[in-house]
Amino acid sequence: MILDSKIPEGPLAEKWSRHKFNIKLVNPANKRKYDVIVVGTGLAGASAAASLAELGYNVKAFCFQDSPRRAHSIAAQGGINAAKNYQNDGDSVYRLFYDTIKGGDYRAREANVYRLAEVSVNIIDQCVAQGVPFAREYGGLLANRSFGGAQVSRTFYARGQTGQQLLLGAYSALSRQVANGKVKLYPRTEMMDVVVVDGKASGIVTRNLITGAIESHSAHAVLLCTGGYGNVFFLSTNAMGSNVTAAWRAHKRGALMANPCFTQIHPTCIPVSGDHQSKLTLMSESLRNDGRVWVPATKEISEKLRKGEITANDIKEEDRDYFLERKYPSFGNLVPRDVASRNAKYVCDEGRGVNETGEAVFLDFRDAIKRDTEELIRAKYGNLFDMYQQITGENPYKVPMKIYPAVHYTMGGLWVDYNLMTNIPGLYALGEANFSDHGANRLGASALMQGLADGYFVIPYTVGDYLAQTPYAKIDTDHPEFQKAEQEVKDRISKLLDIPGEKTVDYFHKRLGKIMWDYCGMARTEEGLKKAKSMIKELKTEFWSNVNVLGGNEELNQSLEKAHRVADFLELGELMIDDALNRNESCGGHFREEYQTPEGEALRDDENFAYVSAWQYVGEDEEEVLHKEPLVFENVKLTQRSYK
Amino acid sequence: MNLTLNIWRQKNNVDKGGFREYKVSDISKDMSFLEMLDVLNEQLAEKGEDPVHFDHDCREGICGMCSLYINGKPHGPLQTTTCQLHMRSFKDGETITIEPWRAKAFPVMKDLVVDRSAFDRIIQAGGYVSVNTGGVPDANEIPIPKRIADEAFDAATCIGCGACVAACKNASAMLFTSAKVSQLAMLPQGQVERKERAEKMIAQMDAEGFGACTNTGACEAECPKGISITNIARMNREYFSAVVSSENV
Ligand SMILES: Cc1cc2nc3c(=O)[nH]c(=O)nc-3n(C[C@H](O)[C@H](O)[C@H](O)COP(=O)(O)OP(=O)(O)OC[C@H]3O[C@@H](n4cnc5c(N)ncnc54)[C@H](O)[C@@H]3O)c2cc1C
Ligand code: SF4
Ligand code: FES
């Protein structure tokens, strides 16, 4: 199989404009003859569905929550990047492009990333026009803050609720199209399969989560905007329902899965407090603008702290190790996420952790409060501080926050070309569900940017190019392929319900999560990965013989919903391990202990691994086949990332 | 801690439903309320009994998916979402009564899960600025005073959970609707459709079967996002100035 990324010819800065000019258009009057399915109503899905409906296409939009407004994007806190250079601090499209490529440790496509930076400026305009209340300065203009991995202030925000405000903006645009009759909404509906007829995506099979009805929907194109798969780790900052099912079913129908092992572990999350924990809570990275990360200088002091003999405020200045500022003087607390996370792990491994479990470091606002007053800090981060206090029972204005890294985002996802189309014609992947723009590590505030870039400004053009070459006649849902797919979904449901098992679905999910965290988390080794692979195989077998899925299909059945998702996570977990094993280098969030510089930084191997790994499913219990898309860098020079 | 839970069980939206009592033990004070229910559900599942169904997703207090009427209060004793409520707010040995939102416009689907799509339809009636993607002015072209932007933001933080409706003896959706109307009425971008918006959204609210507002303020007191009742006053002003000049009467 040859992977054609369809990157347009020409100089980097002209590729997207040239491409937009060269691709085919659907005449306005003919757009109503095409149906598009959009699965997912997060930033990517809602913006795509609204924009396509505005153009005149007939759109069906699906989500598993009770309302499109509740997609996981709602939870994003810190902000969205855009190369507006409103601060006059030296930002530009090229700088945003460069920061993103470098931040991703040179494992993303230049052309895609440049386009992302280019359209970033339009996103902010669009959102403001919709009535998104971004933070403003006293003069009435938009405010910015800085974020990890960048030395300019280009992040737009709405207090600590940026994702909410952006999503509500996209949701309002979507709602308007529902009112116009151009979008039909299917909430509480889960996509169970993609239907491929004659090699082209022709529709999907869904389960109505209230009635259990299995239904087919056909369309000329299918867009998967179904988010990331961080919940393979059980504990993550993702919403409880976030899952890989849609992407995974597409994968099993032939869509390639790219860089599945590239996972982002976010440095600033509230540490695990006990076995009952169902999810982890992120404390926005923006806090690193004003908070200083530290641990005690010695193990002995940490021990006293853990025993409760002293508190953080008792520790003298000279006994504090601000390890990020010490090791990375120029970026300090604002180093990229992978670097910050790994360093937190190192100091905790040395026995210098600051809570009972030994897995936490301080994020301290004492100096910022002294400098700026408590009032100003409250205005910037009030809701985050409140949330922290609610969850932990501690007051971060008085004692430093405790934080630890947690799984947060998945850079890997469905392989797509420059048009965001998977290798299955007519099947697209947008937002976190694709692999396209963040390489091996995503910079803060770039996921919101990517989701909205894909949905508002890329797909409206690229899907038109495909549809213009597609006949109006649609495959009917009584086509044998739809019937077959429906039957397979029904069989799988019966199979799950019929297993005479004893263990709950969560029991398996937790075990899978622990294997993934221990062996495919912040640090990975060949030996550990191999062990994990056999553990997952065993767990999978046990799942299919000993899981107990309660209730029936023809009802609202949350244990059946979860069972489907966990079954898919088990298969994905194994592929992530394969991918991590194959990549004999360290890059970004993928840190193989065997490959590091003497200072403990990720050691890339550009000669052998400057490629996208794209995995092909070939059959139940068979090893997946690896395809490589070489990454060509014509504009940036590959260097060892340095944030010193 | 050990607790007795008195939970509303209802098979589907035609079943009559009723309370059932459950016991849970060894509950940690650090657990969230939903994690406590997870413990109950694991217990039930191990015994082969159907778990208690409830809505939730983000568990960060922002998606608005979780609900629950706990001891007679939406989202329980604190002014927060149920997912952000922790067991340290309860006492060992306590009996906790858990019900779904009760409102004609929010039918119960199963156990504690209700249908809140009426809220979506209210937004569809006009909770937007009619701009298409592309072709909009530069974001800094229209300065907005910080005070106005902040106030609009406050209204915009509504999470659409429905606690305001559940708290109101008339099951009125005024707080929810007024939050969106106010946000857009305050911003320059919302001016063009201002009058029509208030009219249409209020008409839809009535059509969904939500009750009238009698200004008791119960909604504001229970809103996890602190949406202020002044928004209702603002919406009323918008509405009256709209109907006076309306072409739709
Ligand atoms: C706590 C947190 C904070 C974050 N903060 C930031 C930030 O400050 N800045 C930033 O840039 N990024 C941030 N991110 C990352 C960012 O929020 C996400 O990457 C992004 O929102 C993903 O958007 P999406 O549209 O791709 O998917 P999502 O928003 O995850 O939406 C997925 C959609 O797909 C639907 N879906 C999924 N599976 C199915 C199925 N099988 N059938 C039907 N529907 C399905 C869901 O219902 C949902 O509508 C944060 C992430 C987290 C977890
Ligand atoms: S106004 Fe408050 S209580 Fe009502 S839906 Fe919005 S956030 Fe919930
Ligand atoms: S689960 Fe999202 S607000 Fe409670």
Side-chain angles (χ1 to χ4, degrees):
Chain A
M1 185 182 299
I2 295 176
L3 292 177
D4 182 1
S5 59
K6 307 231 170 72
I7 295 172
E9 295 295 316
L12 189 61
E14 286 169 31
K15 283 181 194 287
W16 179 230
S17 333
R18 283 197 194 194
H19 190 60
K20 282 194 288 188
F21 181 74
N22 287 331
I23 58 184
K24 302 205 168 45
L25 299 174
V26 179
N27 155 331
N30 288 337
K31 289 199 173 83
R32 74 174 76 93
K33 296 178 184 158
Y34 290 108
D35 298 350
V36 180
I37 283 174
V38 181
V39 189
T41 59
L43 288 179
S47 58
S51 305
L52 293 174
E54 286 161 9
L55 288 172
Y57 298 110
N58 312 307
V59 177
K60 284 184 176 182
F62 298 80
C63 66
F64 65 75
Q65 292 91 347
D66 68 334
S67 162
R69 66 181 289 153
R70 305 202 204 282
H72 165 61
S73 294
I74 200 93
Q77 302 172 348
I80 176 166
N81 288 331
K84 281 284 197 187
N85 193 28
Y86 282 162
Q87 306 305 323
N88 194 27
D89 59 357
D91 200 11
S92 62
V93 168
Y94 193 85
R95 187 178 291 280
L96 176 53
F97 152 76
Y98 181 77
D99 286 349
T100 309
I101 281 275
K102 175 184 170 198
D105 219 356
Y106 308 97
R107 290 295 173 263
R109 278 188 205 134
E110 280 189 343
N112 283 60
V113 177
Y114 193 88
R115 173 178 66 191
L116 175 66
E118 198 177 338
V119 303
S120 70
V121 297
N122 304 112
I123 295 174
I124 304 304
D125 300 342
Q126 189 64 36
C127 296
V128 166
Q130 289 167 346
V132 170
F134 282 119
R136 285 176 185 269
E137 306 289 358
Y138 284 101
L141 301 183
L142 293 164
N144 289 117
R145 57 167 76 139
S146 51
F147 244 61
Q151 286 174 311
V152 294
S153 284
R154 62 160 75 98
T155 305
F156 294 80
Y157 62 100
R159 234 168 276 172
Q161 285 155 249
T162 316
Q164 179 196 31
Q165 295 309 316
L166 296 177
L167 184 61
L168 292 181
Y171 161 78
S172 74
L174 178 68
S175 297
R176 175 172 160 243
Q177 293 309 314
V178 174
N180 286 347
K182 290 305 290 181
V183 174
K184 183 153 170 43
L185 275 185
Y186 294 84
R188 290 204 199 267
T189 307
E190 181 130 345
M191 186 198 111
M192 306 299 287
D193 212 344
V194 183
V195 180
V196 181
V197 179
D198 298 330
K200 291 184 179 162
S202 304
I204 61 173
V205 175
T206 59
R207 178 169 180 274
N208 178 320
L209 297 181
I210 298 290
T211 64
I214 305 298
E215 285 158 340
S216 287
H217 301 268
S218 82
H220 297 89
V222 175
L223 276 47
L224 301 184
C225 314
T226 46
Y229 50 82
N231 278 347
V232 66
F233 290 87
F234 185 72
L235 284 182
S236 84
T237 61
N238 288 8
M240 300 298 286
S242 298
N243 67 86
V244 76
T245 291
W248 194 253
R249 303 293 164 90
H251 177 57
K252 292 181 89 168
R253 293 281 173 200
L256 303 180
M257 200 67 183
N259 300 336
C261 83
F262 286 172
T263 318
Q264 177 161 83
I265 316 265
H266 195 293
T268 50
C269 302
I270 300 180
V272 176
S273 73
D275 287 337
H276 58 265
Q277 196 116 6
S278 59
K279 77 155 285 172
L280 294 171
T281 304
L282 176 79
M283 287 283 104
S284 168
E285 165 162 327
S286 59
L287 293 170
R288 285 198 274 145
N289 269 309
D290 289 300
R292 298 178 70 193
V293 178
W294 64 277
V295 290
T298 67
K299 221 164 98 172
E300 291 66 40
I301 307 176
S302 283
E303 265 156 30
K304 281 194 199 154
L305 198 63
R306 289 207 291 271
K307 286 194 202 128
E309 291 166 12
I310 52 170
T311 67
N313 293 338
D314 298 331
I315 300 174
K316 291 201 291 284
E317 198 54 30
E318 59 269 26
D319 290 333
R320 299 176 174 208
D321 178 15
Y322 296 91
F323 55 95
L324 293 177
E325 297 172 25
R326 171 171 57 79
K327 286 177 75 175
Y328 308 96
S330 71
F331 279 71
N333 293 299
L334 288 175
V335 289
R337 293 175 174 175
D338 53 334
V339 179
S341 293
R342 215 151 35 236
N343 281 284
K345 178 179 173 352
Y346 290 154
V347 294
C348 291
D349 288 350
E350 287 165 17
R352 295 197 280 149
V354 299
N355 68 350
E356 296 91 78
T357 64
E359 296 199 327
V361 301
F362 288 129
L363 179 65
D364 200 341
F365 292 87
R366 186 193 63 182
D367 297 347
I369 290 173
K370 240 188 258 163
R371 182 188 68 218
D372 293 346
T373 74
E374 182 169 324
E375 198 187 320
L376 213 117
I377 294 295
R378 192 183 301 278
K380 271 192 191 164
Y381 310 112
N383 68 318
L384 296 173
F385 276 48
D386 292 348
M387 186 157 89
Y388 182 86
Q389 185 160 11
Q390 229 159 48
I391 293 173
T392 62
E394 287 183 357
N395 177 355
Y397 294 101
K398 300 280 175 257
V399 293
M401 285 185 180
K402 291 181 192 131
I403 52 160
Y404 199 66
V407 172
H408 180 57
Y409 182 88
T410 48
M411 281 76 70
L414 290 169
W415 183 89
V416 290
D417 62 17
Y418 187 73
N419 295 320
L420 304 181
M421 187 150 85
T422 67
N423 56 309
I424 299 178
L427 182 68
Y428 292 78
L430 282 65
E432 193 173 339
N434 72 25
F435 87 105
S436 71
D437 296 351
H438 309 294
N441 174 57
R442 174 175 71 76
L443 290 185
S446 288
L448 302 184
M449 168 173 73
Q450 183 222 334
L452 291 180
D454 288 359
Y456 284 134
F457 298 109
V458 179
I459 205 73
Y461 293 93
T462 60
V463 92
D465 184 44
Y466 172 77
L467 292 174
Q469 304 171 62
T470 305
Y472 303 136
K474 204 172 54 162
I475 308 281
D476 215 68
T477 52
D478 50 25
H479 188 283
E481 284 300 329
F482 274 99
Q483 301 303 313
K484 205 175 112 208
E486 273 192 30
Q487 194 53 48
E488 282 173 20
V489 168
K490 288 179 187 157
D491 291 348
R492 181 171 148 123
I493 291 172
S494 319
K495 192 170 160 194
L496 280 168
L497 289 171
D498 290 348
I499 299 169
E502 286 182 347
K503 298 288 185 197
T504 64
V505 177
D506 265 0
Y507 166 85
F508 289 98
H509 196 180
K510 283 184 183 170
R511 276 179 59 193
L512 172 66
K514 180 148 173 42
I515 299 173
M516 295 303 292
W517 179 247
D518 287 347
Y519 301 105
C520 200
M522 261 188 288
R524 305 154 175 192
T525 63
E526 181 176 346
E527 195 194 334
L529 288 165
K530 286 191 169 147
K531 187 163 150 202
K533 179 150 177 169
S534 66
M535 288 168 87
I536 292 180
K537 273 193 195 299
E538 274 168 40
L539 191 63
K540 200 161 66 180
T541 316
E542 195 184 328
F543 174 88
W544 283 102
S545 60
N546 199 23
V547 70
N548 181 12
V549 185
L550 294 158
N553 177 50
E554 278 80 39
E555 58 176 330
L556 177 55
N557 184 343
Q558 293 174 333
S559 99
L560 178 62
E561 290 167 29
K562 255 196 252 169
H564 275 294
R565 294 172 187 164
V566 171
D568 291 336
F569 278 139
L570 280 161
E571 296 180 11
L572 167 76
E574 206 183 320
L575 183 64
M576 289 170 72
I577 305 265
D578 286 340
D579 189 43
L581 262 174
N582 168 70
R583 198 167 275 278
N584 289 320
E585 65 162 349
S586 293
C587 55
H590 169 65
F591 193 74
R592 282 278 303 270
E593 285 183 5
E594 302 95 322
Y595 309 99
Q596 49 180 305
T597 65
E599 300 90 51
E601 305 294 339
L603 185 61
R604 286 197 327 267
D605 175 355
D606 293 328
E607 196 153 320
N608 296 302
F609 290 95
Y611 64 74
V612 175
S613 40
W615 297 87
Q616 183 188 9
Y617 176 86
V618 284
E620 208 70 39
D621 295 321
E622 284 190 55
E623 295 291 311
E624 298 215 359
V625 176
L626 173 64
H627 302 274
K628 299 174 183 175
E629 180 203 327
L631 289 167
V632 184
F633 295 92
E634 292 168 340
N635 299 276
V636 299
K637 207 170 130 263
L638 275 61
T639 53
Q640 167 77 36
R641 265 186 332 166
S642 167
Y643 293 95
K644 295 194 189 292
Chain B
M1 27 197 312
N2 300 322
L3 301 164
T4 305
L5 306 172
N6 203 10
I7 303 181
W8 184 263
R9 302 298 313 254
Q10 181 175 335
K11 277 191 102 48
N12 48 44
N13 64 346
V14 286
D15 182 32
K16 264 190 69 190
F19 283 103
R20 275 199 59 184
E21 200 180 278
Y22 300 93
K23 302 248 182 236
V24 284
S25 46
D26 287 336
I27 296 299
S28 142
K29 289 202 176 308
D30 287 332
M31 279 183 193
S32 71
F33 196 82
L34 298 184
E35 284 169 346
M36 184 275 293
L37 288 179
D38 291 343
V39 171
L40 171 69
N41 277 343
E42 283 292 290
Q43 264 178 38
L44 292 178
E46 275 163 21
K47 287 193 282 184
E49 285 177 42
D50 199 22
V52 178
H53 281 60
F54 58 90
D55 268 329
H56 65 107
D57 198 26
C58 73
R59 295 204 176 184
E60 283 193 12
I62 193 75
C63 73
M65 185 114 177
C66 62
S67 49
L68 308 190
Y69 204 65
I70 303 166
N71 288 343
K73 286 186 145 224
H75 294 303
L78 302 182
Q79 204 182 350
T80 180
T81 57
T82 300
C83 60
Q84 294 297 290
L85 176 66
H86 284 74
M87 296 315 291
R88 60 183 87 94
S89 297
F90 297 87
K91 288 191 291 290
D92 187 26
E94 200 173 330
T95 298
I96 306 175
T97 303
I98 310 171
E99 296 169 77
W101 283 172
R102 306 272 188 201
K104 190 171 123 220
F106 289 165
V108 175
M109 305 310 284
K110 181 170 180 174
D111 296 341
L112 306 168
V113 174
V114 300
D115 178 358
R116 284 169 290 194
S117 53
F119 271 9
D120 287 323
R121 290 187 293 273
I122 293 176
I123 300 294
Q124 285 155 20
Y128 42 76
V129 177
S130 297
V131 288
N132 284 352
T133 303
V136 298
D138 183 88
N140 258 351
E141 200 161 296
I142 312 170
I144 302 176
K146 182 167 162 36
R147 187 183 56 79
I148 307 269
D150 286 349
E151 246 184 277
F153 174 87
D154 287 339
T157 57
C158 163
I159 58 174
C161 62
C164 45
V165 176
C168 174
K169 64 179 170 35
N170 306 323
S172 163
M174 285 291 270
L175 194 62
F176 167 80
T177 310
S178 69
K180 187 49 74 182
V181 168
S182 291
Q183 175 204 342
L184 297 176
M186 281 185 269
L187 295 171
Q189 289 81 5
Q191 297 313 307
V192 176
E193 299 161 287
R194 190 168 163 181
K195 291 186 173 173
E196 215 184 320
R197 177 178 305 117
E199 254 187 301
K200 284 187 173 167
M201 288 179 72
I202 289 175
Q204 187 64 34
M205 185 180 84
D206 294 341
E208 295 290 346
F210 291 105
C213 172
T214 48
N215 278 316
T216 65
C219 52
E220 180 187 64
E222 296 297 343
C223 171
K225 294 292 141 178
I227 302 294
S228 160
I229 201 166
T230 55
N231 289 305
I232 297 185
R234 186 181 287 106
M235 178 163 80
N236 284 334
R237 284 198 302 276
E238 294 288 312
Y239 182 71
F240 290 121
S241 79
V243 285
V244 169
S245 58
S246 176
E247 295 144 20
N248 303 343
V249 241

